[in-house]
Amino acid sequence: MKVTTPGTEGARRGSVFHRLYTGTGAFDIVGRRARWYVALGLLVLVCLGAIGFRGFNLGIDFEGGTKIQLPAVGAQGPISTDAVQDAFRDALGHPAETVQIVGVGANQSIQIRSSSLTTDQVAAVKQSLFTELQPLDQQGRPSQQVISDSAVSGTWGGEITQQALIALGVFLVLVTVFLALYFEKWMAVAALIALFHDIIVTAGIYSLVGFEVTPSTVIGLLTILGFSLYDTVVVFDKVKENTRGLLGLTRRTYGEAANLAVNQTLMRSINTSVIALLPVAGLLVVGAGLLGVGVLRDLALVQLVGMIAGVVSSVFLATPLLVDFKMRDPRYRDHAAKVQQRRERSATRAAEGPAEPRHAVAAGSGTNNHSSGRRPSRPAGKAGRPTGRRRR
């Protein structure tokens, strides 16, 4: 079904930027909702497949284990991850779970993550790393003291996950109540569906990229929920304004009024998302790429993906879903039929052309006052008064 907002035919001929800024309903977003459903549905399926088959790269805070860290420069020059893996294998007889380089320049270091190790095993690994790699301290001298270790219990990670799920559940309940009271039932349902879309897409892309899931990731995920709902509420507030008293009018259908609301808030959504994404992109590029701070990388990626998904879902998913829900109501279906009938009658009258004047007299018909049976009027003088002369 194509939705064409009345009065937008001329606006469609302008440039894209002009149509964005004017917001006259020139972009038929609601009318083409079937293609948005297909595209976003495929994206959700891909993300669910990634979560199911690849899973998540859970950090040590969630799985528990031992983390060992040492400088990336030794007495023989830069230390490679392969050399670290060989030293770990020589000490315990099996490789570490992950070995990665973090940071840049003088702050560059190598992190080793393994399952939980005993005190003797940690000491054996440190001794093997120092003997084979000779990591340097700040003064440029080989030192075993620069090799640090930390152990985290998996119970602590489980508690973090439990608290995050509780926070998510409370958040969803409060949001549902607010939307149902401030707007209406179907707006709350559409907003929650868009919110679950954002969560699944963010988690799926995080799984595809393979970044480590840390407590910072959980914090970032809870942060994007608010941003996603904020943009959806802005659009729904305009929809509510445009559809107030709609059933008593026959100018637009509910879908056309909702499409106009999306167009009117589209530029605001773009500006808000760009302004919000700039500092997040800075965290991802500068903090993670240049400085190598892993916490900033985990936080920035989830926020970057979540904000983009939130804007897309509020425009291309939440409002089209709302229109489909509302059109299930017989009142809105009857109203749409009335609007269509009114437009058909207007088109029929326009095709028939203007009606002829009722008292029009055909030119050159030869009719005059005598033929109509009327007595000719007496000539009048100035201002229509008799001249006062007698006829001889």
Side-chain angles (χ1 to χ4, degrees), residues 327-384:
M327 294 309 295
R328 297 172 60 185
D329 191 336
R331 296 178 302 167
Y332 288 94
R333 290 201 301 267
D334 295 341
H335 175 261
K338 292 178 181 179
V339 173
Q340 185 63 29
Q341 292 173 2
R342 173 183 173 273
R343 292 176 182 172
E344 290 176 354
R345 289 195 300 266
S346 300
T348 301
R349 288 196 298 266
E352 292 176 353
E356 295 183 0
R358 182 177 301 176
H359 300 290
V361 178
S365 60
T367 59
N368 50 33
N369 292 333
H370 295 283
S371 62
S372 61
R374 296 181 181 178
R375 187 175 182 179
S377 59
R378 179 182 298 177
K382 293 182 179 180

Side-chain angles (χ1 to χ4, degrees), residues 18 45 92 104 126 138 144 151 223 242 272 285 293 302 309 336 351 376:
H18 175 74
L45 289 178
L92 300 181
V104 292
K126 284 186 175 183
Q138 295 293 334
Q144 190 173 350
T223 303
N242 288 356
T272 303
V285 174
V293 182
V302 68

Side-chain angles (χ1 to χ4, degrees), residues 233-285:
V233 167
V234 169
V235 179
F236 280 178
D237 191 64
K238 195 64 179 178
V239 173
K240 181 181 178 181
E241 178 183 341
N242 288 356
T243 57
R244 186 177 291 114
L246 182 71
L247 295 178
L249 305 173
T250 56
R251 184 182 179 186
R252 295 190 182 99
T253 65
Y254 189 91
E256 292 168 349
N259 185 72
L260 179 61
V262 173
N263 278 264
Q264 290 171 335
T265 57
L266 185 58
M267 198 63 217
R268 177 177 178 177
S269 299
I270 294 175
N271 290 334
T272 303
S273 60
V274 169
I275 293 174
L277 288 173
L278 285 177
V280 175
L283 285 177
L284 186 61
V285 174

Side-chain angles (χ1 to χ4, degrees), residues 297-321:
R297 181 191 64 183
D298 302 335
L299 180 64
L301 179 65
V302 68
Q303 287 189 334
L304 183 71
V305 176
M307 287 180 179
I308 296 175
V311 174
V312 171
S313 66
S314 64
V315 174
F316 297 100
L317 183 60
T319 307
L321 281 174

